[in-house]
Structure formats: C-alpha cells, structure tokens
Amino acid sequence: MGNAELHSIHVHPVKAFRALSLREAVVEPWGLAGDRRWVLIDDGGKVVTQRQQPRLALAAAELLPGGGIRLSAPGREPLTVLVPQPAGTTTLDLFGDKVEAVLADAGAHAWCSDYLGTEVRLLHMDDPATRRPVDPEYARPGETVSFADGYPLLVTTLASLDALNSLIAQGDRADEGPLPMNRFRPNVVVAATTAWAEDGWRRIAIGEVRFRVPRMCGRCVVTTTDQDTARRGKEPLRTLGRHRRFGSQLVFGQNLVPESRGTVRIGDPVTVLE
C-alpha cells in the first residue's frame, strides 16, 4: 500500500451534529473517546438524526473535560451541558436496538427542541462497555459500540473520494460535485492509498492501534446533505448506486472495531495486516 498515513481524525460528540476535527484521539473499545456518547430522541423514544432533521448538520458540540459538551447552533446562545448523574435510565430506540441511556437536564432538552422546532430530549451513554453490543452477526463476544450507526469507527480514504468525485463529474448531477469528505462523517481518513483499496482490508493498524474490518459501510440519505448548508441533493447516492452497489447496499468506507487500545495521531502510518 505504500506509505499510507492517517490524514484526519473526526469525532461527533452528539450523534448527527457536525464533526469536530482533532489532531489525536484515544481509541476506546467502543470508538474514539468523545465520539457519539450523546444522542437526541423524539417524544416516541426514537433517535433523531440528520435523516429526519438535516439542520442538525449546523449544530456543533465541543468536548469539555469530564465528558460534558458545549452546544452551539445558528441563532442560539451556546449552552454547557454536564454529564448527568445517573438517577435511572431511559430506553431509546436506535434503528431497532433498545439502548439504555441517561437523560440530560431540562435546559438541554429545551435548547435542542427550540433549535429544531420540535420536542426532543438529549441523552448520554453512561456506560458504553455494557449498553449496546455490536451487531452479533459481525461481532465478537463482548464488543460494544456507542451511539454510532453500527460500529465503533468508520474509515474512509482520500483516493476513494477522488475516484467517486471523478464518477460524479461524469454523471448527470455533475454540478453537485466535487463532494467533501464530511458528507460521509468518517472517524479516520487515510491518505496515500489506491482508490477502493479499503475494500480488501480485513485488519489494519493505525500507528500502534490494531483494528478489525468487519464489513463495508452502507450509505443513507445523510450523505446527500450538505454539512455546511443542510441542503439536500441527489449525490453521492445516485453515483454510488451505479458504481458501488454491493447487494442491497451503496458502499463508501469501511467499519472498524478496535482490537487494542491506544492513541491515534494525524500522520501515523496505516498498515494493512490482513
């Protein structure tokens, strides 16, 4: 693979809020430290994401020491939300998974509800080691995940984005490209590979940390949402449907499960182990 290296690192402190770029991150068994430990639910207990609320792309959450967050969004005064004291848990529905989490305070619910114009509540995953197992079809015993869609981390590559943008440029929605990487909301982005090399990865190392690559990442309507304007288009799903369809899934990127702990840093070498 040549001299592949870690190009960028991203966490999403609140699921579906905009990404926060970091120089380095601690890898925990269930994902990068600080990634998707908070989530919004509607009045029926279902998780709210950019699928229903594209405007979440414009909301940001800054990580604070101790696990708290500072929320900001257009037209809103920032709000600091501390990790709630566990006084019992609330059950939420994350794509059919029933997950226990702890409600934030009333002020956090009001801030998020006012921003979206609909009733939502903010919750925190207090114990990611026990709350939500990885899909048992692809997991090993004891593997858990935060509020990410299905797996602890998502990896993408710059070469594959370039290849996808070339395909978009040849299509009937060429005016929608080129797309930036933030459409795909990855945790780690790798430079200096060949296009689609990640399709063949089974195990990789990023610096000192080893990861298993259980399966490709199927993409949804969120990828059509401009992360800077919250407007929706047709790409990349139209082009992925023509060129990157695997079974019923439109694929870009690979899911990762950590096999060890450690810290990953921009510039770390990326090695294919299998």
Side-chain angles (χ1 to χ4, degrees):
M1 190 168 73
N3 299 313
E5 66 175 35
L6 186 54
H7 172 77
S8 60
I9 303 168
H10 312 276
V11 297
H12 312 78
V14 180
K15 183 178 178 68
F17 280 34
R18 71 184 303 120
L20 181 67
S21 297
L22 304 175
R23 300 287 308 170
E24 62 179 52
V26 173
V27 179
E28 299 172 333
W30 41 82
L32 297 182
D35 188 51
R36 298 177 171 100
R37 290 285 297 275
W38 299 80
V39 72
L40 294 176
I41 61 171
D42 63 17
D43 54 10
K46 281 196 159 58
V47 166
V48 177
T49 73
Q50 288 184 35
R51 293 164 177 81
Q52 305 88 14
Q53 292 283 354
R55 288 182 71 229
L56 288 174
L58 309 182
E62 177 189 345
L63 289 170
L64 302 177
I69 47 176
R70 184 171 167 82
L71 305 178
S72 59
R76 310 285 307 153
E77 284 294 316
L79 179 73
T80 295
V81 182
L82 301 179
V83 171
Q85 295 304 310
T89 59
T90 296
T91 305
L92 58 91
D93 182 336
L94 177 51
F95 311 138
D97 288 350
K98 298 290 190 255
V99 186
E100 298 294 315
V102 181
L103 285 166
D105 62 51
H109 308 328
W111 190 98
C112 297
S113 298
D114 288 348
Y115 174 62
L116 292 178
T118 186
E119 203 66 33
V120 294
R121 290 175 291 165
L122 180 67
L123 294 96
H124 179 256
M125 184 179 282
D126 56 332
D127 183 9
T130 64
R131 291 296 182 203
R132 183 174 173 231
V134 174
D135 179 350
E137 190 178 344
Y138 295 93
R140 292 176 180 163
E143 289 179 342
T144 61
V145 59
S146 66
F147 291 126
D149 278 4
Y151 295 87
L153 286 90
L154 172 66
V155 61
T156 59
T157 69
L158 294 181
S160 295
L161 180 64
D162 288 345
L164 178 61
N165 278 326
S166 295
L167 293 170
I168 290 172
Q170 297 161 27
D172 51 11
R173 291 276 177 167
D175 58 318
E176 287 193 31
L179 301 182
M181 189 64 90
N182 65 10
R183 289 291 188 95
F184 301 96
R185 300 177 63 78
N187 293 114
V188 286
V189 180
V190 177
T193 68
T194 55
W196 317 120
E198 63 274 19
D199 289 354
W201 298 350
R202 296 296 169 262
R203 291 178 67 242
I204 64 170
I206 302 175
E208 64 188 28
V209 188
R210 298 182 307 281
F211 301 88
R212 195 163 59 78
V213 189
R215 65 177 306 196
M216 298 173 165
C217 183
R219 309 313 307 218
C220 71
V221 70
V222 172
T223 59
T224 68
T225 309
D226 187 317
Q227 298 293 298
D228 296 319
T229 66
R231 289 197 199 93
R232 285 228 167 110
K234 299 291 187 186
E235 293 294 1
L237 291 185
R238 180 173 289 222
T239 296
L240 291 175
R242 290 172 176 165
H243 299 279
R244 294 283 299 165
R245 185 183 292 276
F246 292 82
S248 62
Q249 293 198 311
L250 311 184
V251 169
F252 188 89
Q254 297 284 337
N255 294 298
L256 298 179
V257 179
E259 290 186 335
S260 63
R261 294 178 182 248
T263 300
V264 293
R265 300 173 178 84
I266 289 177
D268 275 353
V270 177
T271 313
V272 176
L273 303 175
E274 286 178 29

